[in-house]
Amino acid sequence: MKAFLILEDGTVFTGTSIGSQKEIISEIVFNTSMTGYLEVLTDPSYAGQAVVMTYPLIGNYGICHEDMESAKPWPDGYIVRELSRMPSNFRSEDTIQNFLTKHDIPGIAGIDTRALTKILREKGTMNGMITTNENYNLDEILPKLKAYTTGNVVEKVTCKEKYVLEGDGPAVALLDLGAKKNIAGSLNKRGCRVTVYPAFTPAEEIIASHPDGIMLSNGPGDPKECTAIIEEIRKLYNTDIPIFAICLGHQLMALANGADTHKMKYGHRGGNHPVKDLETNRVYISSQNHGYVVDTDKLDASVAVPAFVNVNDSTNEGLAYTGKNIFTVQFHPEASPGPQDSGYLFDRFMKMMEVTK
Protein backbone atom coordinates (compact mmCIF):
# COMPACT_ATOMS: atom_id res chain seq x y z
CA MET A 1 0.00 0.00 0.00
CA LYS A 2 1.21 3.51 -0.81
CA ALA A 3 2.06 5.88 2.01
CA PHE A 4 2.89 9.59 2.01
CA LEU A 5 5.11 11.71 4.24
CA ILE A 6 3.98 15.34 4.09
CA LEU A 7 6.23 18.01 5.64
CA GLU A 8 5.00 21.37 6.89
CA ASP A 9 6.93 23.14 4.10
CA GLY A 10 4.72 21.31 1.57
CA THR A 11 7.30 18.68 0.52
CA VAL A 12 5.72 15.25 -0.11
CA PHE A 13 7.54 11.90 -0.19
CA THR A 14 5.79 8.82 -1.60
CA GLY A 15 6.70 5.35 -0.36
CA THR A 16 5.24 2.12 1.00
CA SER A 17 3.23 1.77 4.19
CA ILE A 18 4.86 -0.27 6.98
CA GLY A 19 3.46 -1.12 10.40
CA SER A 20 0.08 0.35 11.28
CA GLN A 21 -1.95 2.18 8.64
CA LYS A 22 -3.26 4.91 10.94
CA GLU A 23 -2.59 8.57 10.14
CA ILE A 24 -0.32 10.58 12.45
CA ILE A 25 1.05 14.10 12.78
CA SER A 26 4.36 14.41 14.59
CA GLU A 27 7.71 16.20 14.80
CA ILE A 28 10.06 14.64 12.22
CA VAL A 29 13.62 14.03 13.48
CA PHE A 30 16.53 11.99 12.13
CA ASN A 31 18.89 9.52 13.80
CA THR A 32 22.34 8.72 12.34
CA SER A 33 22.97 5.42 14.16
CA MET A 34 24.10 2.52 11.95
CA THR A 35 22.90 -0.08 14.47
CA GLY A 36 20.65 -0.05 17.51
CA TYR A 37 17.34 0.63 15.77
CA LEU A 38 15.46 -1.31 18.46
CA GLU A 39 17.06 0.79 21.20
CA VAL A 40 15.99 3.89 19.26
CA LEU A 41 12.42 2.63 18.89
CA THR A 42 12.13 1.86 22.62
CA ASP A 43 13.79 5.06 23.90
CA PRO A 44 11.06 7.09 25.69
CA SER A 45 12.82 10.30 24.64
CA TYR A 46 11.24 9.85 21.18
CA ALA A 47 7.69 10.26 22.48
CA GLY A 48 5.93 12.88 20.37
CA GLN A 49 8.30 12.43 17.43
CA ALA A 50 8.55 10.38 14.23
CA VAL A 51 12.06 9.06 13.57
CA VAL A 52 13.92 9.00 10.26
CA MET A 53 16.77 6.45 10.20
CA THR A 54 19.58 7.75 7.97
CA TYR A 55 21.22 4.33 7.65
CA PRO A 56 19.60 2.83 4.53
CA LEU A 57 18.89 -0.76 5.63
CA ILE A 58 16.90 -1.23 8.84
CA GLY A 59 15.73 -4.48 10.43
CA ASN A 60 18.39 -6.80 9.08
CA TYR A 61 19.08 -8.40 12.49
CA GLY A 62 15.43 -8.46 13.53
CA ILE A 63 13.94 -7.77 16.94
CA CYS A 64 15.70 -9.03 20.09
CA HIS A 65 13.36 -8.25 23.00
CA GLU A 66 16.21 -8.43 25.52
CA ASP A 67 17.70 -5.30 23.91
CA MET A 68 14.62 -3.12 24.41
CA GLU A 69 15.18 0.02 26.50
CA SER A 70 11.58 0.05 27.76
CA ALA A 71 8.51 -2.15 27.60
CA LYS A 72 7.23 -0.65 24.33
CA PRO A 73 8.25 1.56 21.39
CA TRP A 74 7.54 5.30 21.76
CA PRO A 75 7.88 7.15 18.42
CA ASP A 76 4.68 8.25 16.69
CA GLY A 77 6.04 7.03 13.36
CA TYR A 78 9.03 5.34 11.71
CA ILE A 79 10.66 6.35 8.41
CA VAL A 80 13.25 4.19 6.58
CA ARG A 81 14.85 3.78 3.15
CA GLU A 82 14.65 -0.01 3.04
CA LEU A 83 13.07 -2.38 5.54
CA SER A 84 14.55 -5.88 5.79
CA ARG A 85 11.69 -8.36 5.60
CA MET A 86 13.87 -11.42 6.34
CA PRO A 87 16.16 -10.77 9.32
CA SER A 88 19.23 -12.95 9.83
CA ASN A 89 20.32 -13.29 13.45
CA PHE A 90 20.28 -16.25 15.85
CA ARG A 91 18.83 -13.95 18.55
CA SER A 92 16.02 -12.56 16.38
CA GLU A 93 12.49 -13.12 17.72
CA ASP A 94 10.43 -10.95 15.37
CA THR A 95 10.55 -8.57 12.40
CA ILE A 96 10.35 -4.77 12.45
CA GLN A 97 7.16 -4.96 10.38
CA ASN A 98 5.38 -7.17 12.92
CA PHE A 99 6.77 -5.14 15.83
CA LEU A 100 5.43 -1.85 14.42
CA THR A 101 2.06 -3.40 13.56
CA LYS A 102 1.71 -4.98 17.02
CA HIS A 103 2.30 -1.63 18.72
CA ASP A 104 0.13 0.36 16.26
CA ILE A 105 2.98 2.51 14.96
CA PRO A 106 2.70 3.65 11.33
CA GLY A 107 5.70 4.05 9.10
CA ILE A 108 6.87 4.61 5.57
CA ALA A 109 9.61 2.82 3.63
CA GLY A 110 11.10 3.27 0.18
CA ILE A 111 11.68 7.03 0.31
CA ASP A 112 14.96 8.90 -0.18
CA THR A 113 15.95 9.37 3.47
CA ARG A 114 19.15 11.19 2.43
CA ALA A 115 17.11 13.87 0.65
CA LEU A 116 14.73 14.07 3.63
CA THR A 117 17.62 14.44 6.09
CA LYS A 118 19.18 17.21 3.98
CA ILE A 119 15.88 19.12 4.13
CA LEU A 120 15.74 18.76 7.93
CA ARG A 121 19.38 19.86 8.27
CA GLU A 122 18.97 22.87 5.99
CA LYS A 123 15.53 24.06 7.13
CA GLY A 124 15.54 22.61 10.65
CA THR A 125 13.34 20.05 12.34
CA MET A 126 9.73 20.36 11.20
CA ASN A 127 6.39 18.67 11.69
CA GLY A 128 4.98 16.16 9.25
CA MET A 129 2.19 13.68 8.56
CA ILE A 130 2.34 10.00 7.62
CA THR A 131 -0.83 8.95 5.78
CA THR A 132 -2.08 6.27 3.40
CA ASN A 133 -4.84 8.56 2.10
CA GLU A 134 -4.11 9.15 -1.59
CA ASN A 135 -6.71 11.92 -1.71
CA TYR A 136 -4.96 14.12 0.85
CA ASN A 137 -5.57 17.87 0.69
CA LEU A 138 -2.46 19.99 1.35
CA ASP A 139 -4.53 23.11 2.04
CA GLU A 140 -6.22 21.30 4.92
CA ILE A 141 -3.14 19.45 6.19
CA LEU A 142 -0.47 22.19 6.30
CA PRO A 143 -2.20 24.36 8.96
CA LYS A 144 -2.57 21.26 11.15
CA LEU A 145 1.14 20.48 10.77
CA LYS A 146 2.18 24.01 11.74
CA ALA A 147 -0.08 23.88 14.82
CA TYR A 148 1.28 20.58 16.21
CA THR A 149 3.36 20.59 19.42
CA THR A 150 4.73 17.64 21.36
CA GLY A 151 3.37 19.08 24.63
CA ASN A 152 4.35 17.77 28.06
CA VAL A 153 5.23 14.20 27.08
CA VAL A 154 7.13 13.37 30.29
CA GLU A 155 3.79 12.60 31.92
CA LYS A 156 3.16 10.03 29.17
CA VAL A 157 6.45 8.11 29.53
CA THR A 158 7.24 8.07 33.25
CA CYS A 159 6.51 5.04 35.41
CA LYS A 160 3.14 5.03 37.22
CA GLU A 161 4.46 3.99 40.63
CA LYS A 162 7.85 3.55 42.25
CA TYR A 163 9.69 0.24 42.16
CA VAL A 164 13.00 -1.14 43.45
CA LEU A 165 15.94 -2.98 41.91
CA GLU A 166 17.60 -4.69 44.85
CA GLY A 167 21.33 -4.38 45.52
CA ASP A 168 23.71 -4.46 48.48
CA GLY A 169 25.55 -1.23 47.63
CA PRO A 170 24.64 2.46 47.78
CA ALA A 171 20.97 3.43 47.70
CA VAL A 172 20.19 5.49 44.59
CA ALA A 173 16.94 7.34 43.89
CA LEU A 174 16.30 7.46 40.13
CA LEU A 175 13.80 10.08 39.00
CA ASP A 176 12.16 8.58 35.90
CA LEU A 177 11.61 11.37 33.36
CA GLY A 178 11.52 8.76 30.59
CA ALA A 179 14.40 6.59 31.73
CA LYS A 180 15.93 3.96 29.50
CA LYS A 181 16.23 0.54 31.12
CA ASN A 182 20.01 0.51 31.01
CA ILE A 183 20.35 3.57 33.26
CA ALA A 184 18.97 1.70 36.27
CA GLY A 185 20.80 -1.40 34.98
CA SER A 186 24.17 0.40 34.89
CA LEU A 187 23.72 1.42 38.53
CA ASN A 188 22.33 -1.95 39.59
CA LYS A 189 25.21 -3.94 38.09
CA ARG A 190 27.58 -1.77 40.15
CA GLY A 191 25.75 -3.01 43.25
CA CYS A 192 23.39 -0.09 43.80
CA ARG A 193 19.95 -0.54 45.28
CA VAL A 194 17.94 1.55 42.82
CA THR A 195 14.54 2.97 43.71
CA VAL A 196 12.83 4.34 40.60
CA TYR A 197 10.39 7.22 41.25
CA PRO A 198 7.72 8.67 38.92
CA ALA A 199 8.65 12.07 37.43
CA PHE A 200 6.21 14.08 39.57
CA THR A 201 7.30 12.65 42.92
CA PRO A 202 7.70 15.42 45.55
CA ALA A 203 11.34 16.10 46.43
CA GLU A 204 10.47 15.66 50.11
CA GLU A 205 9.57 12.00 49.53
CA ILE A 206 12.89 11.31 47.82
CA ILE A 207 14.92 13.17 50.46
CA ALA A 208 13.06 11.40 53.28
CA SER A 209 14.22 8.02 51.95
CA HIS A 210 17.84 9.10 52.71
CA PRO A 211 19.40 7.99 49.40
CA ASP A 212 23.18 7.95 49.02
CA GLY A 213 22.73 9.49 45.57
CA ILE A 214 20.11 10.80 43.15
CA MET A 215 19.97 10.14 39.41
CA LEU A 216 17.93 12.31 37.04
CA SER A 217 17.15 10.46 33.82
CA ASN A 218 16.70 11.27 30.16
CA GLY A 219 13.26 12.10 28.77
CA PRO A 220 11.31 13.70 25.92
CA GLY A 221 10.04 17.14 25.06
CA ASP A 222 10.83 20.79 25.77
CA PRO A 223 12.49 21.08 29.22
CA LYS A 224 10.75 24.41 29.86
CA GLU A 225 7.40 22.60 29.82
CA CYS A 226 8.41 20.73 33.00
CA THR A 227 7.80 23.62 35.41
CA ALA A 228 6.53 21.50 38.33
CA ILE A 229 9.45 19.05 38.05
CA ILE A 230 11.97 21.92 37.90
CA GLU A 231 10.65 23.19 41.25
CA GLU A 232 11.21 19.78 42.85
CA ILE A 233 14.70 19.46 41.33
CA ARG A 234 15.60 22.83 42.85
CA LYS A 235 14.80 21.32 46.27
CA LEU A 236 17.02 18.31 45.50
CA TYR A 237 19.84 20.69 44.50
CA ASN A 238 19.60 22.40 47.90
CA THR A 239 20.55 19.17 49.71
CA ASP A 240 24.06 17.72 50.05
CA ILE A 241 23.07 14.47 48.30
CA PRO A 242 25.30 13.62 45.29
CA ILE A 243 23.39 14.01 42.01
CA PHE A 244 24.15 12.68 38.53
CA ALA A 245 21.85 13.77 35.69
CA ILE A 246 21.72 12.97 31.99
CA CYS A 247 19.94 14.46 28.96
CA LEU A 248 16.59 15.97 30.07
CA GLY A 249 17.71 15.70 33.70
CA HIS A 250 20.81 17.74 32.80
CA GLN A 251 18.64 20.45 31.21
CA LEU A 252 16.16 20.57 34.11
CA MET A 253 18.94 20.91 36.68
CA ALA A 254 20.33 23.84 34.68
CA LEU A 255 16.90 25.50 34.46
CA ALA A 256 16.40 24.96 38.20
CA ASN A 257 19.51 27.05 38.79
CA GLY A 258 18.82 30.05 36.60
CA ALA A 259 20.35 28.89 33.30
CA ASP A 260 18.46 28.84 30.02
CA THR A 261 17.84 26.34 27.21
CA HIS A 262 16.93 26.72 23.55
CA LYS A 263 15.76 24.46 20.74
CA MET A 264 18.48 23.37 18.32
CA LYS A 265 18.03 23.59 14.56
CA TYR A 266 17.91 19.80 14.14
CA GLY A 267 19.38 18.38 17.35
CA HIS A 268 21.80 15.55 18.04
CA ARG A 269 20.48 12.02 17.53
CA GLY A 270 22.80 9.11 16.90
CA GLY A 271 25.57 6.92 18.28
CA ASN A 272 28.59 8.73 16.85
CA HIS A 273 28.85 12.18 18.48
CA PRO A 274 32.33 13.13 19.82
CA VAL A 275 32.39 14.96 23.17
CA LYS A 276 35.40 16.35 25.02
CA ASP A 277 35.84 16.04 28.79
CA LEU A 278 37.18 19.51 29.67
CA GLU A 279 38.86 18.18 32.81
CA THR A 280 41.04 15.63 30.99
CA ASN A 281 40.81 16.87 27.37
CA ARG A 282 39.97 13.32 26.31
CA VAL A 283 37.39 12.85 23.56
CA TYR A 284 34.70 10.17 23.82
CA ILE A 285 32.24 8.82 21.27
CA SER A 286 28.76 9.30 22.69
CA SER A 287 25.17 8.30 22.05
CA GLN A 288 22.80 11.26 21.94
CA ASN A 289 19.14 12.06 21.56
CA HIS A 290 18.17 15.66 22.21
CA GLY A 291 16.68 18.65 20.46
CA TYR A 292 17.35 21.23 23.19
CA VAL A 293 20.61 22.49 24.67
CA VAL A 294 21.75 24.50 27.72
CA ASP A 295 22.96 28.05 27.00
CA THR A 296 26.39 28.33 28.61
CA ASP A 297 26.58 32.08 27.88
CA LYS A 298 23.80 32.56 30.43
CA LEU A 299 25.48 30.33 33.01
CA ASP A 300 26.61 31.77 36.34
CA ALA A 301 30.10 30.37 37.03
CA SER A 302 29.42 30.56 40.77
CA VAL A 303 26.66 27.98 40.18
CA ALA A 304 28.12 25.71 37.46
CA VAL A 305 30.85 25.54 34.83
CA PRO A 306 31.00 23.61 31.52
CA ALA A 307 32.41 20.10 31.94
CA PHE A 308 31.89 18.63 28.44
CA VAL A 309 31.65 20.16 24.99
CA ASN A 310 30.50 18.77 21.63
CA VAL A 311 33.50 18.56 19.30
CA ASN A 312 31.37 19.03 16.16
CA ASP A 313 29.47 22.21 17.01
CA SER A 314 30.86 23.36 20.40
CA THR A 315 27.48 23.12 22.15
CA ASN A 316 27.39 22.25 25.84
CA GLU A 317 27.47 18.54 26.74
CA GLY A 318 27.76 18.68 30.52
CA LEU A 319 28.10 20.81 33.66
CA ALA A 320 29.96 20.58 36.96
CA TYR A 321 28.19 22.41 39.79
CA THR A 322 30.37 24.69 41.87
CA GLY A 323 30.70 23.64 45.52
CA LYS A 324 28.21 20.77 45.07
CA ASN A 325 28.48 17.04 44.52
CA ILE A 326 26.54 17.39 41.27
CA PHE A 327 27.55 16.76 37.67
CA THR A 328 25.35 16.47 34.61
CA VAL A 329 25.80 15.38 30.99
CA GLN A 330 23.75 15.92 27.84
CA PHE A 331 24.64 12.57 26.26
CA HIS A 332 23.81 8.96 27.23
CA PRO A 333 26.71 7.25 29.08
CA GLU A 334 24.65 4.06 29.56
CA ALA A 335 24.16 3.52 25.80
CA SER A 336 27.66 2.08 25.15
CA PRO A 337 28.35 3.42 21.64
CA GLY A 338 32.10 3.16 22.18
CA PRO A 339 31.15 0.56 23.55
CA GLN A 340 32.55 1.52 26.96
CA ASP A 341 33.74 5.08 26.33
CA SER A 342 31.72 7.06 28.87
CA GLY A 343 30.76 4.30 31.31
CA TYR A 344 33.36 5.79 33.65
CA LEU A 345 30.82 8.49 34.53
CA PHE A 346 28.81 5.94 36.50
CA ASP A 347 32.04 5.01 38.33
CA ARG A 348 32.60 8.70 39.05
CA PHE A 349 29.12 8.87 40.56
CA MET A 350 29.83 5.75 42.64
CA LYS A 351 33.01 7.32 44.01
CA MET A 352 31.18 10.58 44.76
CA MET A 353 28.61 8.66 46.83
CA GLU A 354 31.34 6.70 48.62
CA VAL A 355 33.31 9.84 49.56
CA THR A 356 30.20 11.73 50.68
CA LYS A 357 28.99 8.81 52.77
Side-chain angles (χ1 to χ4, degrees):
M1 178 180 287
K2 275 188 178 180
F4 306 91
L5 172 63
I6 304 167
L7 300 181
E8 67 177 272
D9 69 349
T11 303
V12 179
F13 290 87
T14 303
T16 305
S17 174
I18 58 176
S20 166
Q21 292 176 14
K22 74 177 182 181
E23 185 174 277
I24 60 102
I25 292 176
S26 191
E27 182 181 46
I28 312 297
V29 300
F30 64 88
N31 185 293
T32 58
S33 297
M34 296 176 69
T35 61
Y37 53 79
L38 181 60
E39 288 86 342
V40 169
L41 277 167
T42 54
D43 180 351
S45 294
Y46 283 111
Q49 298 174 327
V51 184
V52 182
M53 300 302 293
T54 62
Y55 190 71
L57 181 61
I58 297 297
N60 52 325
Y61 56 85
I63 296 290
C64 313
H65 292 111
E66 185 183 348
D67 298 339
M68 292 173 63
E69 284 289 357
S70 60
K72 56 172 277 189
W74 290 102
D76 293 331
Y78 203 52
I79 303 160
V80 301
R81 174 69 184 90
E82 181 181 349
L83 190 71
S84 174
R85 305 275 178 175
M86 298 177 64
S88 177
N89 176 7
F90 72 97
R91 296 178 65 233
S92 178
E93 299 165 292
D94 203 352
T95 65
I96 286 275
Q97 171 68 18
N98 290 340
F99 188 71
L100 294 175
T101 303
K102 175 183 174 184
H103 292 283
D104 198 28
I105 295 176
I108 183 170
I111 69 169
D112 188 342
T113 50
R114 291 189 302 174
L116 172 56
T117 301
K118 286 179 73 173
I119 291 172
L120 297 176
R121 282 179 60 91
E122 289 166 8
K123 297 186 177 181
T125 295
M126 63 180 79
N127 297 333
M129 170 186 282
I130 297 174
T131 181
T132 57
N133 179 11
E134 296 190 36
N135 300 312
Y136 61 82
N137 185 326
L138 280 181
D139 292 334
E140 293 179 2
I141 291 172
L142 294 183
K144 294 179 182 178
L145 299 185
K146 294 181 188 299
Y148 173 81
T149 61
T150 58
N152 189 352
V153 277
V154 171
E155 187 174 345
K156 178 180 175 182
V157 300
T158 188
C159 60
K160 303 308 177 192
E161 55 187 29
K162 75 174 182 181
Y163 61 93
V164 179
L165 299 178
E166 293 295 345
D168 54 10
V172 176
L174 170 58
L175 191 63
D176 177 10
L177 307 170
K180 295 198 288 181
K181 182 175 68 174
N182 204 31
I183 295 175
S186 295
L187 293 166
N188 197 227
K189 76 179 181 181
R190 286 171 169 81
C192 295
R193 182 181 190 272
V194 184
T195 304
V196 183
Y197 290 88
F200 297 93
T201 303
E204 290 81 3
E205 180 180 342
I206 295 173
I207 296 166
S209 70
H210 303 292
D212 297 307
I214 297 171
M215 181 97 198
L216 308 180
S217 83
N218 64 294
D222 182 346
K224 290 180 180 176
E225 295 279 343
C226 303
T227 52
I229 300 173
I230 290 169
E231 288 302 314
E232 299 307 309
I233 287 177
R234 187 175 291 118
K235 297 174 188 175
L236 298 178
Y237 168 86
N238 287 326
T239 70
D240 292 322
I241 304 169
I243 298 176
F244 178 24
I246 70 170
C247 197
L248 180 62
H250 153 78
Q251 297 164 3
L252 296 184
M253 179 60 77
L255 289 171
N257 285 281
D260 198 8
T261 59
H262 70 264
K263 188 171 186 176
M264 305 173 77
K265 185 175 181 181
Y266 49 82
H268 295 156
R269 297 176 181 89
N272 51 3
H273 291 264
V275 297
K276 180 188 279 190
D277 185 333
L278 297 179
E279 184 179 335
T280 64
N281 282 329
R282 288 191 64 178
V283 174
Y284 299 91
I285 298 301
S286 69
S287 174
Q288 304 206 8
N289 174 14
H290 63 104
Y292 294 82
V293 68
V294 174
D295 295 326
T296 50
D297 57 348
K298 298 178 182 177
L299 194 65
D300 184 348
S302 66
V303 175
V305 295
F308 288 86
V309 66
N310 189 290
V311 176
N312 288 336
D313 61 13
S314 300
T315 54
N316 179 254
E317 293 283 359
L319 297 171
Y321 282 78
T322 308
K324 305 287 284 188
N325 288 312
I326 300 174
F327 71 99
T328 68
V329 295
Q330 179 62 77
F331 51 95
H332 290 244
E334 86 294 338
S336 307
Q340 298 176 341
D341 283 37
S342 50
Y344 76 96
L345 293 171
F346 285 98
D347 298 324
R348 180 186 291 182
F349 182 47
M350 295 291 292
K351 187 170 184 180
M352 187 184 290
M353 288 189 289
E354 182 183 324
V355 170
T356 306
K357 195 173 182 180

